[in-house]
């Protein structure tokens, strides 16, 4: 989808659809009066008859049948009461694109009516959010359906903002470039998650990381195979990989800024390309969406896709250990004791609690070979996180308030909702094993918290660390928000990108 600006008024432009945003606190007749004069149509009365009140997310598409008009239809989009936030702009444009998907229209002009655009720095943020919303809503995954049904296609090819001044035009170009870089990263992460596990194996994940790193000299990648992982003592991750015929892959991406780095940050993603549960096998229903269990690593790869264009002034490392968790005669068993890279031993009581084992070795690797100032991990780790806060919210745990607050601010700015829960240290006792240093499960109570406490046991005390349990929003089984489609959402790319950019201040 092309997104552009024009200094011309909406009345001097042509497109399939004219878009107007309506606030529920302002009458449609006042906002639509200039359109009624231009088109000679009684639009406000028709909108009112259809029950349109300007409520948030409400949409109505009106055909303009009169000959000689420069537009074929008028789209009214409700934005609710009060001034629009940056996230409100994002959502409004996502609703706009979704509304057109059910039609054959391809080009849109957004009129400077109904909702006032902000000025200055807020204007650039609004334009970035608007472009993000439109592009995110336009995403489709059709790799396996070259001829999708008409209603499954994204029809919008051109979106134009009317009445933009020359200074605003310059700010908008920069905002669109930022939005495009981030959205391309989100789309890559969504594609990786949506691809079936047979075509997104550990080797495939490694291959995508190589291709991303090859696109810019500031990016590099190192890859380690099973033998090298054995030499490093990654007994926890390798135990998970034992049941599969597919070879594990340790991938280490690096972004080096052009100027001296202000900080070194390591982002770690869970990369279980398919999770059957191993010998503690899942139900058939429980396995249906387990191609998404590498969504954390997909977000890391998507982030690195965007980093050269975003150019944060920090050194960024991305680490993931890609494995497949399968049952077989060689699979690890409940009751096994495995040794992680850190030297800690782990009693395995449930082979379906495998993600924390791979992350334990990834964290230990980062601590030894990266030695970062901060570690942030993303993982579809626990169903308990979904039980606690639902499908649209990510649970955050952190050992430092500053890092947690920075991630929360970033998530609020991009519209990815985060809820911080405490790391209640007395619950570490629940992870004590009689035969090893730790056990990999601690019962049903506080499941997401005890999983986080398990990971914390592998983080050096001197390192700021945050854990994002994305089990809910990483994969949506139905359309709930216009910017988060059914399937892989790419959750985390935008939050991490904004957090890294915030380090430039």
């Amino acid at each position: 989808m092309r997104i552009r600006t024009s200094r011309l008024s909406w009345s001097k432009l042509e497109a399939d659809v004219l878009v107007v945003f309506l606030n529920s606190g302002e009458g449609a007749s006042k906002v639509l009066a200039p359109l009624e004069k231009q088109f000679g149509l009684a639009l406000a009365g028709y909108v009112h008859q259809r029950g349109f009140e300007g409520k948030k997310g409400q949409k109505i598409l009106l055909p303009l049948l009169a000959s000689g008009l420069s537009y074929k239809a008028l789209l009214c989009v409700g934005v609710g009461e009060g001034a629009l936030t940056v996230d409100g702009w994002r959502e409004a444009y996502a609703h706009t694109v979704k509304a057109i998907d059910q039609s054959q229209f391809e080009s849109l002009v957004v009129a400077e009516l109904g909702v006032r655009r902000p000025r200055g720095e807020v204007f650039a943020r609004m334009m970035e959010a608007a472009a993000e919303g439109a592009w995110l809503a336009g995403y489709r995954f059709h790799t396996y359906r070259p001829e999708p049904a008409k209603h499954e296609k994204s029809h919008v090819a051109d979106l134009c903002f009317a009445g933009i001044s020359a200074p605003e035009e310059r700010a908008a170009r920069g905002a669109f470039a930022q939005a495009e870089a981030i959205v391309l990263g989100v789309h890559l992460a969504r594609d990786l998650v949506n691809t079936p596990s047979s075509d997104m194996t550990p080797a495939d994940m490694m291959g995508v990381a190589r291709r991303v790193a090859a696109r810019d000299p500031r990016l590099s990648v190192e890859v380690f195979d099973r033998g090298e992982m054995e030499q490093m003592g990654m007994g926890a991750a390798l135990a998970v990989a034992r049941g599969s015929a597919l070879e594990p892959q340790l991938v280490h991406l690096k972004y080096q800024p052009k100027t001296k780095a202000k900080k070194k940050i390591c982002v770690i993603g869970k990369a279980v390309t398919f999770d059957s549960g191993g010998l503690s096998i899942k139900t058939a229903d429980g396995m249906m969406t387990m191609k998404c269990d590498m969504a954390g690593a997909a977000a890391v790869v998507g982030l690195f896709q965007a980093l050269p264009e975003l150019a944060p002034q920090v050194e960024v490392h991305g680490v993931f250990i890609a494995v497949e968790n399968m049952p077989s005669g060689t699979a690890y068993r409940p009751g096994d004791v495995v040794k992680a890279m850190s030297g800690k031993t782990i009693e395995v009581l449930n082979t379906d609690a495998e993600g924390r084992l791979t992350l334990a070795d990834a964290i230990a690797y980062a601590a030894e070979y990266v030695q970062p100032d901060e570690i942030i991990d993303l993982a579809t780790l626990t169903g308990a996180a979904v039980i606690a806060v639902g499908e649209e919210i990510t649970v955050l745990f952190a050992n430092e308030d500053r890092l947690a607050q920075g991630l929360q601010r970033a998530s609020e700015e991009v519209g990815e909702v985060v809820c911080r829960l405490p790391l209640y240290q007395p619950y570490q006792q629940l992870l004590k094993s009689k035969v090893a240093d730790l056990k990999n499960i601690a019962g049903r109570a506080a499941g997401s918290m005890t999983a986080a406490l398990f990971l914390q046991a592998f983080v050096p005390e001197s390192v700021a660390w945050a854990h994002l349990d994305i089990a809910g929003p990483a994969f949506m089984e139905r359309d709930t928000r216009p910017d988060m489609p059914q399937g892989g959402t790419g959750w985390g790319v935008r939050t991490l990108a904004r957090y890294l950019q915030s380090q430039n201040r």
Side-chain angles (χ1 to χ4, degrees), residues 139-145 188-202 204-205 246 270-277 282-299 322-326 352 354 379-380 470-471 474-477 485-490:
Y139 171 83
R140 297 294 182 275
F141 182 71
H142 291 316
T143 301
Y144 300 88
R145 295 188 66 188
L188 174 59
R190 288 176 175 180
D191 285 347
L192 298 181
V193 172
N194 287 329
T195 300
S197 298
S198 57
D199 293 333
M200 192 50 58
T201 65
D204 291 316
M205 288 287 293
L246 303 177
K270 178 183 172 183
V272 179
T273 59
F274 185 77
D275 182 18
S276 69
K282 295 178 183 289
T283 64
D285 287 348
M287 267 189 267
M288 284 196 296
T289 60
M290 281 301 101
K291 65 181 182 180
C292 81
D293 217 19
M294 33 61 74
V323 300
E324 191 178 52
N325 186 25
M326 298 290 281
D352 195 23
E354 84 299 331
T380 48
I470 61 173
F475 190 92
M476 306 301 291
E477 298 197 48
Q486 183 178 6
T489 65

